[in-house]
Amino acid sequence: MSLLIRNARIASEDSATLREGDVLVEGGIIRSIGKGLSAPEGAKVIEANGRLVMPAMFDAHVHFREPGQEAKETIATGTEAAINGGITGIVMMPNTKPAIDSAPVVRMVLDSAAKNSRIPVYTSGCITKDRAGKELAGIDGMRGLGVKMLTDDGDSVADPAVLLRAMQYASEFGMFFASHCEVPELAGPRALNEGVVSYRLGIKGTPAAAEEIIIDRDIRLAHAAGAHIHIQHVSSKIGMETIRWWKQRGDVKVTAEVAPHHLLFTEEDIGDFDTHYKMNPPLRTKADTEALLQGLIEGVFDLIATDHAPHTPFEKSQDFVSAPNGITGLETALVSLYHYFVATGKFGWDLVVKRYSAEPRRMMGLEPVPVEEGRPADLILFDTEAETTFSLDFMKSKSRNTPFFDKTLKGRVDLVVLGDQILLER
Amino acid sequence: MPRKDLLDIVSLEREEIDHLLDQAVPFKELFTRSVKKVPALKGKSVLTLFYEPSTRTLSSFEVAANRLSADVTNFAVASSSIVKGESVRETVETLQAMRTDYIIVRHSRSGLPSTIARMTKASVINAGDGAHAHPTQALLDAFTIKEKFPDPTGKRVLIVGDILHSRVARSTSTILKKLGVEVAYLGPGSLVPKVGPENVQRFTNYEEAMKWKPDVVYLLRVQMERQDVQYFPSVREYHRLYGVTEERLRRIDGDGLYIMHPGPVNRGVELCDGVLDYSRSLINDQVENGIAVRMAVLYWLKPGGEVIG
């Protein structure tokens, strides 16, 4: 396939300034970038008219519910949702049923991905068997199938001794750890932040301290073990400051992620028990949101990840406490980041590319995919003038549990190219 | 404009509260007549769906509905399919198919009545959900206070006890503030949230709270069943620090204060025995007024809204 994208603006992680030019893709490679390129015979030509070409996104934190809860999402529907959002690579979390805690389950997942996905699917593996926090999972077997990230996401490893031993053991294999940070005894029914809204709604909240304690504990353990620790979905100001403090020390490898919903929403958005704002860690206060945004701009957060967590409408239509935690994010992340932050001048496209495309790939030991001559084509075309309505027709995910459902935001993913394939064209 | 549902006090306008409290007056007068019934809701069906045990609230709603000539059915949760694992949605769909006009719900989960209200065209009345809201209790409390203080603006009500787990504290303090009453909370530090509602004073010391000069001391039942961890060392210590002891009762009497309590009372915990004979106890007035305000609520709501869930 040959593809010529004319008159585009090109975003990269290295520069806030957008380059202007044409991009020619041939045989899955970005053959040349320049002005006035001529189309090879038979090439598909797209007049970009100022639309953006940029590296495709990579989401290092998604839940695809396969195996075990395919009514919510499968690898097939989840990866199509990713493509719909401009994402060409994902890392699955292992809290499936059964949990991804051994080589046979990893193989099952990878086999399904090979058959059902048009984009690369990576999976993390559990730290402990069945995420129970007691016995170590089948670490070497999973490593042999390419697993790099170990996590019991959905829960912390409650016993610090178990986590420390796991870190000492698995770091020797070059694996790293991702931490869902939460003291279970403080977490209550894990429905919302402890604060004015939890008081108003009469639901026991989860204090930010429940998260902050484990952020600090797990980094200390990684420090002791000489392990790489990645802190997942940080939601609190003090949590962010804790990570910043440890990073400034410089004697432990810490990375961290923030989710778009924690940058965009606060506990006040829950309103009258709206379960589309129920997630774990919970939405916190405006002060937290502002601190997280500052942390992202400063680079305390290495990456943006959605924690895409699909649930069926039936489950989410229960009362607030009974409804499961989590919202979908793959299809809304990039557009919402543009609508709320790039279009309003809070940060530039370079941050989006760095934090949502390049850094997550680097963390997983993969090469970033800049739009440069000679690089493999792994890019998207984004229209900053168009709009996206997140309607049922638009959604490729099996689930629609997002606060953006049926809402319209500025920005649209028009094209997704991976190697020799056009995965999406609007 | 009448509403379809009554789910909380927060969303009620001042005019709506005034209307409901005014409407309860003639309904209460009805109780003195030999025939205590009016045909206002004749032919309408009222269903009570109580997932939590209750004596006074359930019977109060039943009496209120009967006095309006509605047909009342008590949906017996303990013998229903709910114990077989039927979801709330399935239950509500069943009730919807039966063309029930009013569903009165009590549940231990905060927000469940709101969830049900979104699923049905019937009018849903929240009869208490978790620690969230108990709007008819708030209305009867406000009605009772207005009987003693027709213009309650500037009066002071001290709510004492387990504020954290109390739906009564939330709803009653909300309605009182809407009526211009000053509200303060008193209780152990672990049970009086620091981040509570605005304009509510927070006390953790009885003597300090009494210096605030309340007109009404509103005692809450200590709800041991809602306490998942230990919030205070012992009931004895609670009574000593926060209960109305015999000695405190004498001082309250000397200051001419009223006492209220949503019931049932834990004797020897929040209240000493002697308070039951206390001349300015409004506890029985609250029970009687509960029927009148619940009649007003049933009469006011209009079933038949759009189902959005």
Side-chain angles (χ1 to χ4, degrees):
Chain A
M1 179 202 69
S2 298
L3 169 68
L4 178 64
I5 304 172
R6 280 207 181 111
N7 296 317
R9 292 178 295 157
I10 304 164
S12 78
E13 65 170 318
D14 303 318
S15 171
T17 311
L18 302 170
R19 276 169 73 191
E20 291 186 5
D22 307 338
V23 179
L24 176 64
V25 176
E26 278 187 312
I29 304 292
I30 299 170
R31 197 60 68 191
S32 53
I33 298 174
K35 293 211 170 154
L37 296 183
S38 52
E41 200 177 317
K44 179 181 177 67
V45 179
I46 294 175
E47 291 295 339
N49 296 325
R51 286 181 284 174
L52 260 79
V53 171
M54 69 180 105
M57 304 300 133
F58 186 98
D59 202 314
H61 191 148
V62 309
H63 299 267
F64 279 171
R65 312 302 188 196
E66 181 182 342
Q69 293 181 306
E70 286 83 355
K72 297 172 190 251
E73 195 83 286
T74 61
I75 290 171
T77 58
T79 50
E80 288 304 310
I83 294 165
N84 207 24
I87 296 156
T88 58
I90 58 89
V91 183
M92 278 176 61
M93 291 298 111
N95 60 338
T96 47
K97 291 182 178 177
I100 304 170
D101 62 358
S102 64
V105 190
V106 172
R107 188 177 295 285
M108 192 193 306
V109 167
L110 297 181
D111 284 352
S112 174
K115 268 187 265 172
N116 299 314
S117 171
R118 298 192 290 154
I119 59 172
V121 169
Y122 303 88
T123 184
S124 55
C126 293
I127 299 167
T128 64
K129 279 183 189 165
D130 201 25
R131 301 171 56 251
K134 304 288 183 200
E135 299 173 74
L136 297 188
I139 289 173
D140 185 49
M142 296 193 289
R143 182 193 62 87
L145 293 170
V147 171
K148 291 190 169 59
M149 178 198 287
L150 293 173
T151 178
D152 278 0
D153 181 41
D155 293 291
S156 293
V157 178
D159 185 339
V162 171
L163 183 58
L164 180 64
R165 303 301 169 220
M167 285 176 164
Q168 288 167 333
Y169 181 81
S171 294
E172 296 299 319
F173 295 105
M175 300 169 99
F176 71 98
F177 287 75
S179 279
H180 172 116
C181 299
E182 183 179 38
V183 180
E185 292 84 353
L186 283 173
R190 312 167 104 189
L192 76 173
N193 183 43
E194 182 177 279
V196 286
V197 175
S198 70
Y199 175 77
R200 177 170 63 80
L201 298 181
I203 296 172
K204 188 177 175 195
T206 303
E211 180 179 350
E212 292 150 2
I213 289 166
I214 300 293
I215 290 176
D216 190 59
R217 186 202 74 166
D218 284 7
I219 301 175
R220 277 170 201 271
L221 292 172
H223 180 259
H228 168 194
I229 180 84
H230 174 69
I231 303 296
Q232 298 175 296
H233 44 46
V234 177
S235 73
S236 98
K237 179 176 190 233
I238 293 175
M240 184 276 287
E241 288 170 351
T242 303
I243 295 163
R244 179 161 60 196
W245 185 83
W246 276 104
K247 282 188 160 191
Q248 281 169 351
R249 277 181 59 99
D251 53 358
V252 54
K253 184 168 183 193
V254 187
T255 52
E257 72 189 35
V258 65
H261 52 256
H262 287 130
L263 297 167
L264 287 170
F265 304 116
T266 71
E267 57 183 351
E268 302 287 349
D269 290 302
I270 292 166
D272 186 23
F273 300 99
D274 188 341
T275 58
H276 285 138
Y277 294 91
K278 185 185 177 191
M279 55 210 62
N280 189 25
L283 297 172
R284 302 203 192 271
T285 66
K286 193 157 186 289
D288 291 299
T289 305
E290 287 168 355
L292 296 177
L293 180 60
Q294 191 56 35
L296 178 63
I297 292 166
E298 283 177 29
V300 175
F301 297 112
D302 302 84
L303 48 122
I304 295 165
T306 61
D307 191 9
H308 177 80
H311 296 289
T312 62
F314 180 82
E315 291 170 300
K316 274 289 192 184
S317 69
Q318 298 175 87
D319 66 278
F320 197 84
V321 170
S322 306
N325 284 304
I327 60 171
T328 62
L330 288 170
E331 295 172 275
T332 58
L334 186 60
V335 171
S336 63
L337 289 169
Y338 168 66
H339 179 100
Y340 290 100
F341 300 122
V342 180
T344 57
K346 298 277 196 319
F347 51 70
W349 280 112
D350 52 332
L351 183 142
V352 176
V353 173
K354 188 175 182 69
R355 302 293 170 207
Y356 199 24
S357 175
E359 286 300 326
R361 284 184 167 92
R362 286 193 187 103
M363 183 176 76
M364 293 300 295
L366 305 166
E367 287 286 322
V369 292
V371 181
E372 289 172 6
E373 286 179 7
R375 295 283 196 151
D378 194 342
L379 55 85
I380 65 171
L381 185 64
F382 190 92
D383 190 336
T384 54
E385 298 302 316
E387 293 179 330
T388 303
T389 301
F390 298 103
S391 61
L392 198 53
D393 290 344
F394 175 86
M395 298 289 195
K396 304 290 183 201
S397 170
K398 271 197 179 182
S399 297
R400 67 196 81 142
N401 50 307
T402 163
F404 296 115
F405 186 65
D406 265 349
K407 296 203 169 106
T408 300
L409 297 184
K410 211 179 199 184
R412 187 176 69 199
V413 177
D414 281 353
L415 183 76
V416 178
V417 177
L418 178 61
D420 212 14
Q421 302 287 317
I422 293 177
L423 301 183
L424 176 144
E425 185 175 7
R426 267 194 264 273
Chain B
M1 269 293 278
R3 290 172 183 251
K4 172 180 162 285
D5 309 300
L6 177 64
L7 301 172
D8 56 36
I9 292 295
V10 176
S11 56
L12 285 185
E13 302 292 333
R14 171 71 196 258
E15 295 72 31
E16 294 175 304
I17 293 167
D18 288 340
H19 172 78
L20 285 167
L21 297 180
D22 291 346
Q23 186 67 58
V25 174
F27 283 131
K28 188 174 178 184
E29 282 166 11
L30 191 70
F31 302 170
T32 59
R33 299 185 198 163
S34 59
V35 177
K36 300 180 179 60
K37 212 164 174 172
V38 288
L41 294 189
K42 197 168 166 59
K44 299 285 184 188
S45 55
V46 174
L47 195 132
T48 58
L49 185 60
F50 274 51
Y51 291 81
E52 265 191 342
S54 160
T55 309
R56 63 183 69 203
T57 305
L58 176 60
S59 53
S60 178
F61 270 112
E62 284 175 342
V63 171
N66 281 325
R67 287 184 182 174
L68 292 169
S69 304
D71 298 316
V72 187
T73 306
N74 187 1
F75 193 91
V77 172
S79 58
S80 74
S81 296
I82 290 161
V83 293
K84 297 182 205 162
E86 183 178 280
S87 74
V88 166
R89 190 181 189 103
E90 288 164 317
T91 305
V92 172
E93 280 169 3
T94 304
L95 302 181
Q96 175 83 11
M98 292 177 183
R99 310 254 174 203
T100 302
D101 296 302
Y102 299 85
I103 301 174
I104 299 165
V105 191
R106 167 166 288 192
H107 201 286
S108 60
R109 295 242 168 94
S110 297
L112 193 110
S114 302
T115 307
I116 292 177
R118 284 194 279 267
M119 296 174 183
T120 175
K121 288 182 177 174
S123 280
V124 174
I125 301 173
N126 181 1
D129 61 331
H132 171 229
H134 196 349
T136 57
Q137 176 73 45
L139 284 161
L140 75 88
D141 288 338
F143 187 89
T144 305
I145 286 171
K146 276 193 78 174
E147 281 188 321
K148 297 298 168 194
F149 305 107
D151 178 10
T153 310
K155 295 295 171 194
R156 292 184 163 184
V157 175
L158 178 69
I159 303 181
V160 187
D162 178 358
I163 307 297
L164 184 65
H165 298 97
S166 174
R167 54 195 173 213
V168 176
R170 282 170 181 76
S171 288
T172 294
S173 62
T174 303
I175 200 168
L176 291 178
K177 283 190 294 171
K178 288 192 179 203
L179 295 176
V181 176
E182 289 184 41
V183 181
Y185 290 155
L186 165 65
S190 51
L191 290 172
V192 186
K194 283 197 175 72
V195 282
E198 287 174 26
N199 306 322
V200 173
Q201 292 230 42
R202 177 180 183 273
F203 295 108
T204 53
N205 177 295
Y206 201 101
E207 306 310 321
E208 289 294 317
M210 294 312 285
K211 284 181 199 160
W212 183 66
K213 299 274 181 209
D215 298 289
V216 176
V217 178
Y218 191 115
L219 297 151
L220 297 171
R221 198 168 72 84
V222 176
Q223 302 189 64
M224 302 303 287
E225 73 275 14
R226 289 188 194 280
Q227 297 183 7
D228 48 346
V229 294
Q230 200 177 4
Y231 288 87
F232 51 84
S234 68
V235 165
R236 194 162 161 265
E237 186 164 317
Y238 179 91
H239 183 60
R240 185 164 55 80
L241 291 175
Y242 306 103
V244 173
T245 58
E246 299 285 351
E247 186 263 330
R248 284 180 182 148
L249 184 60
R250 282 193 291 278
R251 285 165 55 196
I252 285 172
D253 194 18
D255 289 339
L257 307 188
Y258 289 100
I259 283 185
M260 294 175 70
H261 192 298
V265 174
N266 292 311
R267 291 189 198 185
V269 184
E270 61 266 14
L271 283 167
C272 60
D273 267 352
V275 84
L276 297 174
D277 301 319
Y278 182 59
S279 61
R280 279 186 298 277
S281 162
L282 301 178
I283 297 173
N284 288 334
D285 301 61
Q286 287 172 275
V287 176
E288 185 178 8
N289 293 337
I291 297 168
V293 298
R294 287 177 176 121
M295 288 173 77
V297 167
L298 284 164
Y299 185 64
W300 178 62
L301 293 177
K302 287 288 169 282
E306 286 300 305
V307 180
I308 59 169

